[in-house]
Amino acid sequence: MEFSHDVFLRHIAQTTGQPFLIDIEKAEGLYLYGPDGKKYMDLISGVAVSNIGHRHPHVIAAIKDQLDRHLHVMVYGEYVQSAPNLLAKRLAEALPDTLNCTYFVNSGAEANEGALKLAKRYTGRTEIIACHKSYHGSTHGALSVSGNEVKKSAFRPLLPDVRFIHFNCQEDLAHITEKTACVIIETVQGDAGVRIPDKKYLQALRRRCTDMGTLLVFDEIQTGFGRTGTLFAFEQFGVVPDILTLAKAMGGGLPIGAFIADRAMMNTLTFEPMLGHITTFGGNPVCCAASLATLEVLLESGFLDGVESKGQLFEKYLQHEKIVEIRRIGLMFAIEFDCFETVASIVTDCLEQGVICFWFLSTNNSFRIAPPLTISPEEVKEACDIILAAIDKA
Ligand code: PLP
């Protein structure tokens, strides 16, 4: 085993100058383990990935079974393979009728790239509308429709014809016109610090898009697969998108993403020109097997019922005068304080005490909690006691 920080910092490209730098040897359920025997309670699930816990036995069994059959055999879309077939069928059964055709990709950013291309191709329009403070990924297209100007400006020129509206603001819907190919929006904004829209807003957005012939794209890369208490967050708002994008928790710990739409719409990427979107590893059979197993666990009767009550339990325990606000849906939280220094002190102290919380990319005065949905009520209490002690010290 090699846990040298020198190797890590010298030979692995870094995203920031201050990586978390904890050594991980093993993970199981809610817990991560270091080579020194240190045990961490993972309250962020690798950022909304390990929704059914690390190394869920059903996922591990499905991966092992697929390993014994075959790994990658061909680029996406040519050979018929059981795992992607079963997964696409199960997704179609779980989703509204119009979301019946899945394009498998490798990540959240690629899912959004595919969705934007599909919207342009299907409508013949070029304008894309996104929301201020959104986060849709780090590739050129996904970055173009993300809100954080600081992160974008160094990489311009980005996609042309992108306009921004304010999230949850009904007046801004007037900017959606017959020129707009699509509106891409997180059903609940994640990186903006867990911003939950009004039901009426999303319904008005749906109506405006329908009236203008504009496609509505819901990015459920962070909110999907049970995180908010339902399989997908849009179920709670009574609104169905034209295109749905997924990733993160979809693979139960393996990398996979998808954009999902109606077959007839999806066909516009298939013909004239053919190969409108292509990918080598999209629909990788091992990732699809892991994803199907994840979906089966999430859809087991009663599994999702506990999410809301455990979310409420966190809120009940996390009472402190220094907390400015808690924003929560299901088990997706932003805990807001007066400034970044307080947040940094709490996150660092929690880590020292073996509880992992994490920052947001663009929301400095809050930290995030998104534990595995399998966390027990006793573990919620244990975690909250440690967080409260860290808040006391901050
Ligand atoms: N969309 C949302 C809402 C996300 O939270 C993320 C990642 O955090 C992405 C897209 C990008 O996904 P990926 O990192 O897999 O490219």
Side-chain angles (χ1 to χ4, degrees):
M1 296 249 186
E2 168 63 274
F3 291 103
S4 155
H5 290 194
D6 183 49
V7 169
F8 178 81
L9 294 170
R10 193 189 291 245
H11 295 298
I12 294 184
Q14 302 295 314
T15 53
T16 75
Q18 301 87 34
F20 241 39
L21 277 184
I22 60 174
D23 307 334
I24 302 300
E25 188 179 59
K26 189 174 150 50
E28 199 83 56
L30 176 64
Y31 296 97
L32 307 178
Y33 300 87
D36 48 4
K38 183 131 188 172
K39 182 176 172 186
Y40 302 92
M41 198 182 251
D42 181 7
L43 290 198
I44 55 162
S45 311
V47 185
V49 169
S50 312
N51 283 7
I52 59 170
H54 294 275
R55 296 186 74 252
H56 190 286
H58 192 52
V59 173
I60 297 299
I63 292 171
K64 286 185 173 165
D65 184 56
Q66 184 60 44
L67 290 181
D68 287 339
R69 292 165 195 275
H70 62 90
L71 305 181
H72 175 90
V73 284
M74 184 51 170
V75 297
Y76 177 75
E78 299 295 335
Y79 293 176
V80 182
Q81 300 168 54
S82 176
N85 254 9
L86 288 170
L87 175 58
K89 184 163 169 278
R90 196 73 195 81
L91 282 168
E93 285 163 0
L95 285 164
D97 288 350
T98 48
L99 297 171
N100 51 43
C101 183
T102 297
Y103 198 119
F104 291 117
V105 292
N106 304 282
S107 69
E110 193 193 353
N112 285 335
E113 297 289 343
L116 298 180
K117 284 171 70 182
L118 177 59
K120 286 166 84 172
R121 183 75 188 86
Y122 182 73
T123 60
R125 304 173 185 177
T126 54
E127 183 184 79
I128 296 166
I129 290 189
C131 286
H132 292 293
K133 302 191 173 171
S134 61
Y135 181 72
H136 295 292
S138 199
T139 52
H140 266 86
L143 191 62
S144 303
V145 294
S146 295
N148 189 325
E149 192 49 46
V150 178
K151 302 273 188 307
K152 285 196 294 188
S153 58
F155 302 102
R156 291 195 183 282
L158 293 170
L159 269 188
D161 236 355
V162 176
R163 297 185 67 152
F164 285 86
I165 58 175
H166 291 94
F167 187 77
N168 207 23
C169 168
Q170 295 237 14
E171 295 86 79
D172 275 15
L173 298 181
H175 294 298
I176 303 165
T177 68
E178 287 174 351
K179 288 188 180 153
T180 315
C182 70
V183 174
I184 181 165
I185 186 168
E186 294 156 86
T187 316
V188 171
Q189 281 194 323
D191 188 51
V194 186
R195 305 286 166 179
I196 302 150
D198 300 329
K199 211 170 180 176
K200 281 204 169 108
Y201 168 75
L202 283 191
Q203 292 175 349
L205 169 64
R206 175 66 277 182
R207 275 196 304 278
R208 180 74 185 174
C209 285
T210 303
D211 291 350
M212 293 297 130
T214 297
L215 299 183
L216 179 58
V217 182
F218 277 169
D219 174 341
E220 292 240 13
I221 287 160
Q222 197 169 143
T223 51
F225 292 92
R227 175 54 52 200
T228 67
T230 44
L231 190 59
F232 302 107
F234 72 77
E235 296 167 38
Q236 297 179 42
F237 295 89
V239 171
V240 176
D242 299 297
I243 306 175
L244 177 68
T245 63
L246 304 173
K248 282 191 177 280
M250 181 176 183
L254 290 191
I256 183 169
F259 56 103
I260 303 180
D262 181 63
R263 172 92 236 170
M265 189 187 297
M266 207 62 104
N267 275 347
T268 59
L269 287 182
T270 314
F271 305 103
E272 295 173 32
M274 63 176 185
L275 304 173
H277 188 75
I278 49 177
T279 162
T280 298
F281 284 122
N284 175 278
V286 183
C287 299
C288 284
S291 179
L292 178 64
T294 304
L295 199 51
E296 284 168 352
V297 172
L298 286 166
L299 291 174
E300 257 168 34
S301 97
F303 185 94
L304 289 175
D305 296 346
V307 174
E308 176 57 25
S309 60
K310 285 185 268 188
Q312 286 175 12
L313 209 53
F314 265 102
E315 269 191 270
K316 183 179 139 198
Y317 294 136
L318 286 180
Q319 308 254 345
H320 198 288
E321 59 188 15
K322 287 189 193 159
I323 296 177
V324 173
E325 187 180 33
I326 296 182
R327 292 179 295 278
R328 176 186 76 82
I329 180 164
L331 277 167
M332 176 175 177
F333 297 79
I335 319 284
E336 183 170 325
F337 293 85
D338 56 343
C339 64
F340 176 69
E341 285 66 34
T342 309
V343 167
S345 160
I346 296 164
V347 171
T348 309
D349 194 60
C350 282
L351 183 60
E352 274 163 24
Q353 302 310 316
V355 168
I356 302 181
C357 307
F358 203 52
W359 346 94
F360 291 96
L361 280 174
S362 323
T363 307
N364 283 344
N365 56 356
S366 305
F367 69 84
R368 68 168 92 223
I369 296 179
L373 310 178
T374 47
I375 191 170
S376 71
E378 295 72 32
E379 288 162 337
V380 173
K381 171 88 172 73
E382 194 187 329
C384 288
D385 284 346
I386 290 170
I387 296 170
L388 287 170
I391 298 175
D392 270 340
K393 279 195 247 165

